[in-house]
């Protein structure tokens, strides 16, 4: 089993990366690219002057105020799309039409029609698309999947994943507080849980029954969600998420935060922090705190593993859970801790892309996988609104060679 713990090496394939969107997601991808020896940051696009200027200075790179011009840059062979959700389809299609391979931030799109438009463009222009980043790429999740695929503890029968965070009380742009525009936890955070569940459970969900809630009229979008997922093979999963910033489940993870860094024990700190910026709009606060150039990230892998709350997996002959060092396996002989190499959690994205470009095969989290996860996300919202079970019809299987 020891050979299954660490991520298999991917073929060397240089990536000349262009970053579309230099907000928080873009800043995190820039850092991941810097830590990867085979990625060159060659260009970026953002309508805001400050993060674009900082990026151009730091990497002696080309800069553009719109994504369409970035896609025309001949130095770029892969475009990372970290723009707001409502632009994912437009920008992915533009990148595909320019012959660029694509790393597309979750969610793939806001509607299944947009997912289909992206799929058609990817197939028409013959480019490769990886949907990520989600925490299904965390080394602990991927290692647990490899243990499952090898059959060491039998079939998966039940998955539980929960996360309590401050998400809804971080500074937000107006559309991030509007569900119809792709705001709230369903479009922003639930995709992480869906992809963790689908990765560990094999991919093919059958249905979902969910409940969501708005807790604060000043933030009129979903803050909490719980769901019961049924797989086609009879496996079940439960997901619980709260972004209310009262309790934080990092307390269950030895006060290691989502990125894998140690943090001070705190609850409701983001609520209090918002009140200290009364003179600035939340959009301005967000730009000042989290855009590239403003957000200072260490250029080394974190001390601990990234995570998305607590995930517990029940199989026929044992159970596993995510841990700060990697994952723990429990069987009839007791608990067995498996430590993993320091990681940002983004390495798997680049490795999936490299494997696809080197072999000509589809990446594991390809356009079909992304559509299936988007379908599950939208079905959860529909189930909560209609208070009924919703069937899923566009699901795809997880490859067994994960």
């Amino acid at each position: 089993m020891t050979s299954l713990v660490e991520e298999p090496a991917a073929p060397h394939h240089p990536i000349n990366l262009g970053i579309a969107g230099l907000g928080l997601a873009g800043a995190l991808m820039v850092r991941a690219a810097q830590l990867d020896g085979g990625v060159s940051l060659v260009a970026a696009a953002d309508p805001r002057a400050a993060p674009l200027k900082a990026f151009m200075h730091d990497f002696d790179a080309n800069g553009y105020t719109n994504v369409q011009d970035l896609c025309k840059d001949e130095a770029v062979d892969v475009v990372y799309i970290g723009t707001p959700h409502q632009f994912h389809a437009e920008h992915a299609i533009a990148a595909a039409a320019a012959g660029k391979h694509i790393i597309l931030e979750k969610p793939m799109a806001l509607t299944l029609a947009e997912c289909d438009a992206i799929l058609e463009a990817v197939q028409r222009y013959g480019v490769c698309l990886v949907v990520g980043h989600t925490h299904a790429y965390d080394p602990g999740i991927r290692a647990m999947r490899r243990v499952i695929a090898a059959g060491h503890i039998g079939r998966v029968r039940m998955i539980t994943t929960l996360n309590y965070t401050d998400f809804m009380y971080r500074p937000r742009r107006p559309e991030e507080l509007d569900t119809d525009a792709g705001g709230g936890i369903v479009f922003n955070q639930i995709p992480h849980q869906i992809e963790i569940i689908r990765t560990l459970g094999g991919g093919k969900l059958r249905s979902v029954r969910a409940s969501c809630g708005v807790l604060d009229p000043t933030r009129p979008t979903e803050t909490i969600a719980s769901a019961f997922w049924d797989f086609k093979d009879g496996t079940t999963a439960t997901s619980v998420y709260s972004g209310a910033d009262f309790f934080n489940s990092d307390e269950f993870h030895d006060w290691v935060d989502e990125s894998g860094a140690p943090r001070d024990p705190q609850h409701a700190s983001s609520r209090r922090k918002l009140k200290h910026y009364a003179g600035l709009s939340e959009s301005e606060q967000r730009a000042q705190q989290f855009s590239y150039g403003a957000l200072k990230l260490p250029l080394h892998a974190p001390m601990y593993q990234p995570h998305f709350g607590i995930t517990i997996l029940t199989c026929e002959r044992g159970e596993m859970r995510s841990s700060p060092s990697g994952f723990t396996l429990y069987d009839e002989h007791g608990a067995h801790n498996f430590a993993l190499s320091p990681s940002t959690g983004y390495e798997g994205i680049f490795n999936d892309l490299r494997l696809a470009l080197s072999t000509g095969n589809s990446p594991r989290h390809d356009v079909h996988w992304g559509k299936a996860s988007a379908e599950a996300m939208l079905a959860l919202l529909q189930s909560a609104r209609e208070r009924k079970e919703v069937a899923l019809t566009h699901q795809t299987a997880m490859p067994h060679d994960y």
Side-chain angles (χ1 to χ4, degrees):
M1 182 179 299
T2 303
S3 63
L4 297 172
V5 171
E6 293 291 348
E7 185 84 9
H12 177 73
H13 195 293
I15 295 171
N16 294 319
L17 187 63
I19 304 290
L22 288 168
L24 175 60
L28 291 170
M29 181 57 74
V30 168
R31 178 213 186 191
Q34 288 179 275
L35 293 173
D36 186 289
V39 178
S40 299
L41 290 160
V42 297
D46 198 287
R48 299 164 301 164
L52 188 60
K53 182 178 179 181
F55 180 92
M56 293 169 66
H57 174 269
D58 290 347
F59 300 104
D60 191 23
N62 299 328
Y64 304 94
T65 58
N66 64 80
V67 175
Q68 288 74 15
D69 286 341
L70 171 69
C71 293
K72 297 174 185 176
D73 190 325
E74 293 184 358
V76 174
D77 53 43
V78 178
V79 175
Y80 164 72
I81 297 172
T83 53
H85 302 156
Q86 63 267 33
F87 301 117
H88 282 191
E90 175 189 342
H91 292 160
I93 292 168
K100 311 299 186 184
H101 304 295
I102 303 161
I103 300 172
L104 179 57
E105 187 64 40
K106 56 77 186 166
M108 180 174 167
L110 296 182
T111 67
L112 291 184
E114 288 183 336
C115 290
D116 285 336
I118 296 170
L119 191 157
E120 193 276 333
V122 166
Q123 293 179 335
R124 174 189 294 183
Y125 297 107
V127 299
C128 178
L129 183 146
V130 176
V131 179
H133 171 255
T134 70
H135 279 278
Y137 278 105
D138 288 350
I141 299 298
R142 291 167 73 92
M144 286 193 286
R145 176 61 200 175
R146 290 193 293 275
V147 172
I148 295 164
H152 286 292
I153 54 174
R155 293 190 305 147
V156 181
R157 307 308 299 142
M158 183 174 73
I159 304 164
T160 301
T161 186
L162 62 89
N163 203 9
Y164 287 70
T165 77
D166 62 350
F167 180 81
M168 286 306 300
Y169 290 87
R170 303 168 195 166
R172 294 286 161 213
R173 299 186 304 272
E175 74 270 18
E176 293 181 295
L177 299 175
D178 179 356
T179 304
D180 292 338
I185 65 165
V186 174
F187 290 94
N188 287 277
Q189 298 289 278
I190 298 302
H192 291 294
Q193 293 185 318
I194 289 170
E195 295 227 337
I196 288 170
I197 287 168
R198 293 188 62 229
T199 294
L200 294 175
K204 300 187 94 171
L205 292 166
R206 188 190 72 85
S207 68
V208 60
R209 177 66 172 92
S211 176
C212 297
V214 177
L215 302 185
D216 182 346
T218 69
R219 308 185 91 66
T221 186
E222 290 77 18
T223 297
I224 57 173
S226 58
F228 179 81
W229 305 89
D230 186 26
F231 282 85
K232 291 186 178 181
D233 68 356
T235 300
T236 61
T238 304
S239 62
V240 174
Y241 188 92
S242 169
D245 191 35
F246 291 124
F247 175 69
N248 195 302
S249 54
D250 288 348
E251 182 174 331
F252 292 158
H253 213 77
D254 298 344
W255 288 111
V256 172
D257 71 15
E258 185 175 322
S259 72
R263 59 167 296 180
D264 294 331
Q266 288 186 347
H267 299 286
S269 60
S270 293
R271 286 174 173 263
R272 296 190 295 272
K273 195 177 296 182
L274 267 181
K275 298 176 182 179
H276 291 298
Y277 292 91
L280 295 176
S281 70
E282 289 194 36
S283 294
E284 291 171 322
Q285 291 180 47
R286 186 167 179 79
Q288 286 192 10
Q289 293 180 45
F290 299 119
S291 295
Y292 180 78
L295 182 65
K296 304 301 181 184
L297 296 168
L299 284 181
H300 58 77
M303 293 174 59
Y304 303 99
Q305 292 298 322
H307 68 86
F308 200 70
I310 299 297
T311 297
I312 303 172
L313 180 68
T314 299
C315 296
E316 293 168 318
R317 298 190 300 276
E319 295 180 305
M320 294 184 284
R321 74 168 179 91
S322 54
S323 71
S325 62
F327 72 99
T328 303
L329 186 151
Y330 305 84
D331 61 17
E332 62 180 332
H333 302 293
H336 315 276
N337 297 310
F338 292 90
L340 300 169
S341 299
S343 168
T344 63
Y346 286 73
E347 296 88 348
I349 299 172
F350 296 132
N351 286 345
D352 271 2
L353 181 60
R354 288 187 178 104
L355 280 168
L357 295 177
S358 299
T359 65
N361 297 325
S362 294
R364 297 181 181 95
H365 289 207
D366 65 3
V367 65
H368 298 285
W369 176 270
K371 178 183 175 180
S373 292
E375 178 196 27
M377 171 189 72
L378 293 166
L380 180 149
L381 191 59
Q382 178 187 351
S383 174
R385 287 174 171 173
E386 299 178 3
R387 303 182 71 177
K388 68 178 186 181
E389 183 179 14
V390 175
L392 300 166
T393 60
H394 299 289
Q395 298 298 291
T396 59
M398 168 57 61
H400 289 292
D401 62 347
Y402 205 89

